[in-house]
Amino acid sequence: MDSVMLIDLAVSFSFGYILGSIPFGFVLVYLATKQDIRTIGSGNIGATNVLRSGYKELAFLTLILDALKGTIAFFIVCLWLPPESAALAGFGSVVGHCFPVWLRFAGGKGVATGMAVITVVVPFTGLIMAATWLLVAAFTRVSSLSSLVSFVAAGLFVSFGPLESSGMAQITVWGVGLLSCGRHKQNIQRILRGEESKISFRKKPS
């Protein structure tokens, strides 16, 4: 790997990180309610915790914006660099979401951003992942469990499924999945104890 390629990869990752580190959940909840989302529910800045706070519209908007971070990072880098660099930009956006410098590196779990990145890098794997999330969520109503199972399903499909995927695609899927699963450590402990909270669509009382 020559120095030019190393620079391209470093710039791609850095660009993805900066874009991914924008804490949309934190910003939206604060602008709408003057509350710090980190003091509500699980303290996470992602869409699921925004939903737990009772603000369905803000949760949906957070989900869309968090997903767009990874998607935009990938496609912008694709304009002038090869897919390998674009995939790394997508991965950087997930890292940025999980560890945003603006919030002292205490960010989200990377589910929406990670799913979006996986979908643009390997589209059919992304569809398998989304279908798995919806299926598990429908039966359990546990968002964290749905995310964990869907990341595992994506990794297994991209590596052993009928469609051939590049080495970089497999690295991206497994890298994003392992990072997000690592961010779910406390959720896994609560799942094992049967204490994990479930998804609720009830509106917060005014």
Side-chain angles (χ1 to χ4, degrees):
M1 185 178 296
D2 58 34
S3 59
V4 174
M5 182 175 292
L6 285 173
I7 293 173
D8 287 346
L9 293 175
V11 170
S12 299
F13 179 86
S14 299
F15 173 73
Y17 174 86
I18 292 171
L19 195 59
S21 67
I22 303 173
F24 285 116
F26 173 85
V27 173
L28 290 173
V29 172
Y30 183 79
L31 289 177
T33 69
K34 302 303 180 185
Q35 289 182 288
D36 187 339
I37 187 62
R38 296 172 297 177
T39 65
I40 300 172
S42 66
N44 192 265
I45 65 170
T48 299
N49 196 45
V50 176
L51 179 61
R52 288 195 190 102
S53 72
Y55 301 101
K56 293 187 294 183
E57 298 82 3
L58 294 181
F60 179 73
L61 188 55
T62 299
L63 177 67
I64 297 300
L65 292 174
D66 282 348
L68 283 175
K69 293 191 293 190
T71 304
I72 291 173
F74 177 85
F75 283 115
I76 286 181
V77 173
C78 267
L79 294 175
W80 75 91
L81 292 176
E84 291 78 8
S85 297
L88 190 59
F91 180 70
S93 70
V94 181
V95 175
H97 178 80
C98 293
F99 307 104
V101 64
W102 325 111
L103 298 180
R104 298 182 180 180
F105 304 102
K109 295 183 172 68
V111 177
T113 309
M115 288 184 68
V117 169
I118 289 173
T119 301
V120 294
V121 174
V122 271
F124 197 76
T125 299
L127 293 177
I128 293 294
M129 186 178 185
T132 302
W133 193 99
L134 291 171
L135 183 64
V136 177
F139 280 98
T140 68
R141 289 179 50 227
V142 178
S143 176
S144 56
L145 179 61
S146 304
S147 300
L148 291 166
V149 174
S150 65
F151 276 117
V152 172
L156 294 176
F157 185 84
V158 78
S159 295
F160 306 108
L163 302 179
E164 185 175 351
S165 300
S166 67
M168 180 56 71
Q170 295 185 40
I171 291 172
T172 301
V173 172
W174 281 107
V176 168
L178 289 173
L179 174 59
S180 184
C181 288
R183 297 287 291 168
H184 280 81
K185 180 180 178 180
Q186 294 181 345
N187 302 85
I188 294 172
Q189 294 172 346
R190 289 195 294 268
I191 290 171
L192 294 176
R193 295 195 302 264
E195 300 174 354
E196 182 71 327
S197 59
K198 296 188 176 182
I199 301 170
S200 174
F201 293 95
R202 290 178 296 178
K203 189 173 181 63
K204 183 178 180 180
S206 56

